[in-house]
Amino acid sequence: MTYQHTRHWIVDKSVGNLENSPQIHEAAGFIKQNKVVAFPTETVYGLGGNAESDEAIDLIFQAKGRPSDNPLIVHIAEKEQLYRYVRSVSSQADKLIEAFWPGPLTIVLEHNGELSDKVTAGLPTVAVRMPDHPVASAIIKASGLPVAAPSANRSGRPSPTTAAHVTDDLHGRIAGVVDGGPTGVGVESTVVDCTNDEIVILRPGGITKEDLEKVAGPVTTDPALVEEDQAPVSPGMKYTHYAPHAPLILVDGDRRFFAQKAEEARREGKKVGVLITDEYEGMPADKEIRLGPSGDLPAVARRLYDSLRAFNQNEVDVIYAQVFPETELGGAIMNRLRKAAGGKIISQKE
Ligand code: TXA
Ligand code: MG
């Protein structure tokens, strides 16, 4: 479906009683009519549709150009909604819910068949989360529905952290976008499989492994996240993702090594972009985008997707990006950068 106009509602997320605002009322009304609407969450903007409607879910997949074997996360605003769609909630899952909802944690459980099969891509499980954002919860509450919402980007592009990113990718392809300002966390939610006693991280995100272990004891990480040749449990992990407009290569090395690689590419006549922290400022590059101080991982996460999008079409021929230690939010940041690079990395140690 194409639209002459995609509605653009501006909402001040700090005002109370958002559910009754005319903008939210109208956006939620579209969702009730099985149309799709983008809105902010605390992680990234989502493209929301009625999770009980095949028609709405088809529109989400079409607008994004997303492969239909990649299931969607169902967003809820009250814990009671969870019990309407899953078979049971294990005590481990319940601990995580108590500790991290609302927040950037998505829990995978067995579903009971009440949602559209298209949301779950025919799997026996469903991924559910309760976002911690006043605009997202107001829309979910005002619609009275479970809201399926993938990130509101064209499939393969970096996820959107502002309404402008959504418009760049989806204008004319969706019914509307609720502009509630830039998102806070900047990378998507952590996805955990809670269908067995052992908790498995399927996608690293806003809640870190360290955060989870404080609450639930040792958790494991899906081997597909580290070993390329393993079949991923989370279907979304197997596709190209977060791709900027030029090939991106990770550079694991000190300042001098990084500068040397950039210089070499320039000597080959390439226009070079660099994605670096403040400590690597002043690289020999045609475009330099800074992510802030390397010690401030939350700020790096918040800026990551906007920075990947900042390299415009035909502006540079290659992007060299700095690497991060994989503790705390560094795990999610490196997971996204590795995908943006399609696994390409140059290492000083070799
Ligand atoms: O922060 C977020 O999670 C954002 C905001 C909008 O809430 N949403 C988001 O959705 O990132 P999406 O569709 O871009 O990513 C959903 C991820 C994919 O990797 C998908 O494969 C996985 O969750 N997933 C969904 N259902 C699953 C299931 N039943 N089992 C395993 N993985 C599942
Ligand atoms: Mg996504």
Side-chain angles (χ1 to χ4, degrees):
M1 188 185 284
T2 53
Y3 300 83
Q4 286 296 73
H5 298 287
T6 292
R7 293 295 308 273
H8 191 110
W9 301 278
I10 295 176
V11 168
D12 178 355
K13 67 175 182 188
S14 62
V15 302
N17 211 7
L18 266 181
E19 270 164 83
N20 296 325
S21 81
Q23 296 94 323
I24 298 289
H25 184 80
E26 201 176 353
F30 277 26
I31 290 182
K32 282 197 262 189
Q33 295 162 35
N34 299 333
K35 295 178 182 163
V36 297
V37 166
F39 57 83
T41 78
E42 79 280 33
T43 57
V44 301
Y45 273 71
L47 179 59
N50 177 2
E52 292 177 350
S53 157
D54 287 353
E55 182 193 348
I57 305 309
D58 279 341
L59 288 178
I60 291 178
F61 281 108
Q62 280 166 25
K64 281 182 63 87
R66 175 167 170 135
S68 60
D69 65 344
N70 191 3
L72 308 179
I73 296 173
V74 175
H75 295 64
I76 59 174
E78 325 264 1
K79 195 176 166 188
E80 294 69 53
Q81 283 181 287
L82 175 68
Y83 301 108
R84 280 184 233 154
Y85 304 104
V86 299
R87 284 186 183 281
S88 64
V89 180
S90 64
S91 64
Q92 281 291 71
D94 207 51
K95 273 193 212 160
L96 297 182
I97 289 168
E98 287 305 313
F100 300 112
W101 278 11
L105 181 71
T106 295
I107 294 185
V108 173
L109 293 165
E110 268 181 59
H111 66 71
N112 63 8
E114 294 292 318
L115 295 161
S116 161
D117 278 344
K118 299 195 173 195
V119 171
T120 56
L123 294 173
T125 54
V126 62
V128 184
R129 93 172 186 98
M130 188 192 290
D132 185 17
H133 193 290
V135 173
S137 29
I139 289 177
I140 300 165
K141 281 184 195 157
S143 73
L145 292 165
V147 176
S151 50
N153 51 281
R154 285 295 280 268
S155 195
R157 295 278 293 145
S159 299
T161 53
T162 65
H165 296 161
V166 177
T167 302
D168 285 346
D169 279 14
L170 298 176
H171 186 80
R173 301 176 68 88
I174 60 176
V177 52
V178 183
D179 184 346
T183 60
V185 179
V187 291
E188 300 87 340
S189 62
T190 304
V191 180
V192 290
D193 183 343
C194 288
T195 52
N196 298 302
D197 290 339
E198 183 184 50
I199 295 167
V200 184
I201 299 177
L202 304 180
R203 177 177 74 180
I207 300 291
T208 67
K209 185 168 196 262
E210 292 85 347
D211 294 332
L212 295 169
E213 291 193 327
K214 269 179 223 151
V215 171
V219 305
T220 56
T221 300
D222 175 16
L225 290 178
V226 279
E227 282 170 54
E228 290 289 303
D229 52 0
Q230 293 263 352
V233 178
S234 182
M237 301 313 285
K238 73 181 179 217
Y239 299 104
T240 327
H241 258 74
Y242 315 115
H245 284 309
L248 183 139
I249 300 172
L250 293 174
V251 179
D252 183 2
D254 60 21
R255 249 192 84 95
R256 262 192 56 204
F257 181 78
F258 199 113
Q260 195 187 320
K261 292 296 141 192
E263 195 55 60
E264 279 170 21
R266 285 179 108 191
R267 258 187 263 125
E268 288 168 17
K270 289 184 186 149
K271 280 212 166 96
V272 175
V274 292
L275 182 61
I276 52 172
T277 63
D278 293 349
E279 287 79 359
Y280 279 40
E281 189 190 341
M283 285 292 141
D286 299 278
K287 179 158 184 160
E288 177 173 294
I289 297 287
R290 292 223 299 274
L291 293 161
S294 60
D296 190 351
L297 292 175
V300 171
R302 199 154 49 235
R303 291 178 187 170
L304 184 64
Y305 292 141
D306 184 62
S307 301
L308 286 170
R309 283 175 178 263
F311 296 98
N312 300 316
Q313 202 102 42
N314 304 324
E315 198 174 22
V316 294
D317 301 309
V318 62
I319 301 165
Y320 286 128
Q322 212 178 315
V323 299
F324 292 85
E326 305 211 25
T327 50
E328 300 290 345
L329 265 180
I333 293 166
M334 279 305 291
N335 170 266
R336 306 311 191 268
L337 279 173
R338 260 198 233 98
K339 289 187 167 289
K344 288 190 289 297
I345 183 158
I346 310 175
S347 186
Q348 189 167 12
K349 278 163 247 141
E350 277 155 25

